[in-house]
Amino acid sequence: MSSFLQPFAERFATLDATSLHRLDELYSQDVCFQDPLHQAEGLAELRRYFESIYANVRELRYDFHEFDEVAQGRGYLRWTLHFRHARLAGGGLISLDGCSFLRWSERVDYHRDYFDAGALLYEHLPVLGGVIGWLKRRLA
């Protein structure tokens, strides 16, 4: 198990809308963050992105399943995100599996999340979700 990844994940999982000032304990000032929906360059932009995410969720929790340091200062986290959003899935709990690649020295300077954006967002929108569900059933 990585001596960096698990403590990082544990600290990351405690973040919420009131504690985003602690991002500088985890990320470098020039961090590059990317997920399927957004890209942020620098800590200030990352903080704004996380503020917009946390402002719209009623509950958010991560379960981390695997910590894999593949080289010095590089590794992967496998996780499940659980969240509630008033405008998605009728406010019900949504769970999403994903993986993060991190690069770090003292703090993370590169963070890329991999997940199914449809499973996160589009499948839970009132009209579009029905269409995507229908398409998935037809293609299965």
Side-chain angles (χ1 to χ4, degrees):
M1 191 170 305
S2 169
S3 61
F4 181 88
L5 290 173
Q6 186 172 5
F8 172 88
E10 289 169 356
R11 291 168 64 196
F12 184 87
T14 66
L15 294 173
D16 62 23
T18 66
S19 62
L20 293 176
H21 62 278
R22 294 190 351 229
L23 283 173
D24 62 349
E25 298 171 9
L26 300 172
Y27 293 98
S28 69
Q29 289 294 319
D30 59 347
V31 63
C32 175
F33 175 91
Q34 186 173 4
D35 68 23
L37 303 173
H38 191 78
Q39 183 168 340
E41 297 287 338
L43 187 58
E45 193 174 327
L46 179 62
R47 184 173 286 115
R48 284 190 295 274
Y49 178 53
F50 281 7
E51 286 170 351
S52 69
I53 291 170
Y54 284 100
N56 294 310
V57 295
R58 294 192 317 226
E59 176 184 339
L60 186 121
R61 176 177 51 86
Y62 284 91
D63 292 330
F64 291 95
H65 310 293
E66 194 172 329
F67 309 91
D68 188 16
E69 189 169 334
V70 296
Q72 181 68 32
R74 296 169 189 261
Y76 291 89
L77 298 170
R78 194 171 60 81
W79 44 263
T80 303
L81 167 65
H82 308 279
F83 73 100
R84 293 179 195 276
H85 188 290
R87 290 181 277 168
L88 299 175
L93 187 66
I94 298 170
S95 295
L96 172 74
D97 292 322
C99 178
S100 299
F101 172 74
L102 304 175
R103 186 181 66 214
W104 67 89
S105 54
E106 291 180 30
R107 292 181 180 90
V108 171
D109 58 46
Y110 182 80
H111 180 155
R112 179 151 187 188
D113 283 347
Y114 298 91
F115 57 82
D116 179 351
L120 171 72
L121 180 63
Y122 310 122
E123 292 178 18
H124 303 287
L125 295 173
V127 175
L128 191 55
V131 172
I132 290 172
W134 178 82
L135 283 171
K136 281 184 155 182
R137 288 188 298 277
R138 298 272 299 158
L139 297 173

